Amino acid sequence: MRRVFGVKKDKEPPPSIQDASDRITKRGDSVEEKIKKLDAELSRYKEQIKKTRPGPAQEAVKARAMRVLKQKRMYEGQRDMLYNQTFNLDQVSFAAEGIKDAQQTMSALKSANKDLKGMMKTVKIQDIDNLQDEMLDLMDISNEIQESLGRSYNVPDDIDEDDLMGELDALEADMGFEGEGVPSYLQEDKESDLDAELHLPAVPMGQTAGRANAQAADEHGLPAVPSASLRS
């Protein structure tokens, strides 16, 4: 049977867009190289036409240049066609990549949606509201406790503005009796002259000088000799 019908061959996978684009780009580069060579040849013919005189020789050069120009135009047409094909393949590739990105995005969104649904089952808005209410109640109780602990004891609260002004007037009257409007406990301390208060007699000048001479000493710590003794 195999000899009659043969063996079924496995089909090769079709080329991808990237493979086709690379192949066409390679062909376009080859055509571009040929065009560059023809441009160089045309430049050489142009110089020859300038140097030769009108006549059969110049006409022959022009004929060769015309043939090269036709080849160049043909290659330019092929190059443009290949570039258009490459552009179309790039557009198709871009669209295909966009579809793949959209598929991945949809898969990610579906997975995230499933996870969110599972998490939302464990979180209820009513539980959150109840928790917030409990926290507010606890904060109110805490404030009441702080106010109660910060309360002062035995502090009169029935003092009004009239009582304040009366107290200030009484203080001002007391300060007037102290002297020059300043209380005694705010006045500067005056140094008392103890000798004047005790009425002690003053020390005579002669005795003071004698005491000074008696107490004088030389450089060795011995009593100094009076100057009158040295003169005699």
Side-chain angles (χ1 to χ4, degrees):
M1 296 294 292
R2 292 183 178 179
R3 293 180 181 178
V4 177
F5 297 101
V7 181
K8 185 178 180 180
K9 296 181 179 180
D10 296 334
K11 293 183 179 180
E12 295 181 358
S16 62
I17 296 176
Q18 187 63 37
D19 295 338
S21 179
D22 294 340
R23 184 171 180 273
I24 294 174
T25 302
K26 185 177 180 180
R27 288 180 57 193
D29 294 339
S30 177
V31 174
E32 187 69 27
E33 291 295 331
K34 292 180 180 180
I35 292 174
K36 289 181 180 180
K37 291 180 180 180
L38 294 176
D39 287 337
E41 191 173 355
L42 286 174
S43 298
R44 187 172 65 254
Y45 287 151
K46 182 179 179 181
E47 295 296 331
Q48 291 179 3
I49 292 173
K50 288 181 179 180
K51 293 179 180 179
T52 56
R53 296 179 180 180
Q58 190 180 44
E59 294 297 330
V61 175
K62 288 182 179 180
R64 289 195 296 269
M66 185 65 66
R67 184 175 62 254
V68 172
L69 180 59
K70 290 180 180 180
Q71 291 179 358
K72 177 185 175 183
R73 295 292 173 80
M74 181 187 65
Y75 285 133
E76 286 178 348
Q78 292 180 0
R79 181 192 62 185
D80 295 339
M81 181 182 63
L82 292 173
Y83 284 166
N84 290 332
Q85 292 178 5
T86 304
F87 178 73
N88 293 332
L89 288 174
D90 290 340
Q91 285 186 328
V92 174
S93 177
F94 182 78
E97 292 296 331
I99 296 298
K100 290 181 181 179
D101 294 339
Q103 290 177 350
Q104 292 180 357
T105 303
M106 288 297 298
S107 299
L109 289 175
K110 288 180 180 179
S111 178
N113 188 19
K114 184 178 179 180
D115 295 339
L116 285 174
K117 287 181 179 179
M119 289 186 290
M120 290 301 293
K121 292 180 180 179
T122 60
V123 179
K124 296 181 180 179
I125 189 65
Q126 186 63 36
D127 296 339
I128 297 176
D129 292 337
N130 294 335
L131 180 61
Q132 291 291 339
D133 294 338
E134 291 179 1
M135 291 298 296
L136 290 175
D137 294 338
L138 291 175
M139 292 300 296
D140 292 338
I141 295 173
S142 177
N143 292 332
E144 292 179 0
I145 293 173
Q146 296 297 327
E147 291 178 359
S148 178
L149 292 176
R151 188 180 303 169
S152 301
Y153 302 101
N154 296 328
V155 177
D157 296 332
D158 55 350
I159 299 176
D160 55 6
E161 186 176 355
D162 294 336
D163 296 335
L164 175 62
M165 296 305 297
E167 186 70 22
L168 294 177
D169 293 339
L171 288 175
E172 185 177 1
D174 293 340
M175 292 172 64
F177 288 110
E178 293 289 341
E180 296 183 359
V182 180
S184 60
Y185 58 85
L186 295 178
Q187 295 180 2
E188 296 181 357
D189 295 336
K190 296 182 179 179
E191 296 181 357
S192 59
D193 192 354
L194 184 59
D195 295 339
E197 292 179 358
L198 297 177
H199 303 286
L200 296 177
V203 179
M205 295 300 294
Q207 295 180 2
T208 304
R211 291 178 182 176
N213 293 330
Q215 293 178 357
D218 57 6
E219 59 183 0
H220 298 290
L222 299 176
V225 179
S227 57
S229 300
L230 293 175
R231 291 177 181 177
S232 60

Short mmCIF file of all heavy atoms in Angstrom, two decimals, residues 3 37 73 151 154 157 159 190 198:
data_model
loop_
_atom_site.label_atom_id
_atom_site.label_comp_id
_atom_site.label_asym_id
_atom_site.label_seq_id
_atom_site.Cartn_x
_atom_site.Cartn_y
_atom_site.Cartn_z
N ARG A 3 3.76 1.50 -1.22
CA ARG A 3 4.39 1.66 -2.52
C ARG A 3 3.42 2.28 -3.53
O ARG A 3 3.83 2.99 -4.44
CB ARG A 3 4.89 0.32 -3.03
CG ARG A 3 6.04 -0.25 -2.21
CD ARG A 3 6.48 -1.58 -2.77
NE ARG A 3 7.58 -2.14 -1.98
CZ ARG A 3 8.13 -3.34 -2.24
NH1 ARG A 3 7.68 -4.09 -3.27
NH2 ARG A 3 9.11 -3.77 -1.49
N LYS A 37 25.98 50.21 -6.72
CA LYS A 37 26.99 49.92 -7.73
C LYS A 37 26.63 50.60 -9.06
O LYS A 37 27.51 51.14 -9.76
CB LYS A 37 27.12 48.42 -7.93
CG LYS A 37 27.73 47.70 -6.74
CD LYS A 37 27.82 46.20 -7.00
CE LYS A 37 28.44 45.48 -5.81
NZ LYS A 37 28.54 44.00 -6.04
N ARG A 73 16.60 51.86 -12.57
CA ARG A 73 15.18 52.10 -12.36
C ARG A 73 14.44 50.79 -12.06
O ARG A 73 13.51 50.75 -11.25
CB ARG A 73 14.59 52.76 -13.61
CG ARG A 73 15.16 54.14 -13.89
CD ARG A 73 14.72 55.14 -12.83
NE ARG A 73 15.36 56.43 -12.97
CZ ARG A 73 14.99 57.37 -13.84
NH1 ARG A 73 14.00 57.15 -14.69
NH2 ARG A 73 15.63 58.53 -13.88
N ARG A 151 -9.43 66.51 86.99
CA ARG A 151 -10.27 67.42 87.76
C ARG A 151 -9.51 67.92 88.99
O ARG A 151 -8.79 67.16 89.63
CB ARG A 151 -11.55 66.70 88.18
CG ARG A 151 -12.59 67.60 88.82
CD ARG A 151 -13.81 66.77 89.19
NE ARG A 151 -14.35 66.09 88.01
CZ ARG A 151 -15.28 65.13 88.09
NH1 ARG A 151 -15.71 64.72 89.27
NH2 ARG A 151 -15.73 64.57 86.97
N ASN A 154 -11.07 71.23 95.63
CA ASN A 154 -11.16 72.38 96.53
C ASN A 154 -10.76 73.69 95.84
O ASN A 154 -10.10 74.55 96.41
CB ASN A 154 -10.29 72.18 97.77
CG ASN A 154 -10.76 71.01 98.62
OD1 ASN A 154 -11.97 70.73 98.67
ND2 ASN A 154 -9.83 70.33 99.26
N ASP A 157 -15.10 77.80 92.29
CA ASP A 157 -15.49 78.11 90.92
C ASP A 157 -16.43 79.31 90.83
O ASP A 157 -16.84 79.69 89.73
CB ASP A 157 -16.18 76.89 90.27
CG ASP A 157 -15.22 75.72 90.15
OD1 ASP A 157 -14.01 75.97 90.05
OD2 ASP A 157 -15.70 74.57 90.16
N ILE A 159 -15.95 82.53 91.53
CA ILE A 159 -15.28 83.83 91.50
C ILE A 159 -15.65 84.53 90.21
O ILE A 159 -15.46 83.98 89.12
CB ILE A 159 -13.75 83.66 91.60
CG1 ILE A 159 -13.37 82.98 92.92
CG2 ILE A 159 -13.06 85.00 91.48
CD1 ILE A 159 -11.90 82.69 93.06
N LYS A 190 19.07 97.60 102.27
CA LYS A 190 20.04 98.66 102.51
C LYS A 190 21.05 98.18 103.55
O LYS A 190 20.68 97.64 104.59
CB LYS A 190 19.35 99.93 103.04
CG LYS A 190 18.39 100.54 102.03
CD LYS A 190 17.77 101.80 102.59
CE LYS A 190 16.82 102.43 101.58
NZ LYS A 190 16.19 103.65 102.11
N LEU A 198 26.22 101.61 116.62
CA LEU A 198 26.78 101.34 117.95
C LEU A 198 27.49 102.55 118.55
O LEU A 198 27.86 102.53 119.73
CB LEU A 198 27.77 100.17 117.85
CG LEU A 198 27.16 98.83 117.42
CD1 LEU A 198 28.26 97.78 117.30
CD2 LEU A 198 26.11 98.38 118.43
#
